[in-house]
Amino acid sequence: MVKAWKADTMGNAVFKYTAANFNPLMAMAADIVILEAEEVVQPGEIEPDHVQLPGVFVDYVVLAKEVVF
């Protein structure tokens, strides 16, 4: 399971802060990758130069829900 800041429905992901250090490497090394994204957009809305994890490494994309206690 990998957490991203923004992803499209194809699995292309952009990370923030220190998540950009290890999350792409962990996803590339895993057999099954569940990508939890804070924001999910349509394909093409993320600039190709900003993609830090290509969708070919992602099996599932899940929208992260914010829980307020």
Side-chain angles (χ1 to χ4, degrees), residues 27-57:
M28 290 178 197
D31 291 329
I32 297 176
V33 176
I34 302 170
L35 180 67
E36 180 183 23
E38 294 178 23
E39 182 180 350
V40 178
V41 296
Q42 293 299 317
E45 291 188 36
I46 299 175
E47 294 286 327
D49 293 340
H50 295 160
V51 173
Q52 295 171 320
L53 176 66
V56 70
F57 296 108

Side-chain angles (χ1 to χ4, degrees), residues 1 7 11-12 16 19-20 22 25 32 37-38 40 43 45 50-51 63 67:
M1 187 167 212
N12 299 310
K16 270 189 172 179
F22 293 107
L25 295 174
I32 297 176
E38 294 178 23
V40 178
E45 291 188 36
H50 295 160
V51 173
L63 178 63
V67 178

Side-chain angles (χ1 to χ4, degrees), residues 3-6 13-24 38-39 52:
K3 179 151 179 145
W5 167 60
K6 183 189 272 188
V14 179
F15 300 96
K16 270 189 172 179
Y17 310 119
T18 59
N21 292 335
F22 293 107
N23 285 356
E38 294 178 23
E39 182 180 350
Q52 295 171 320

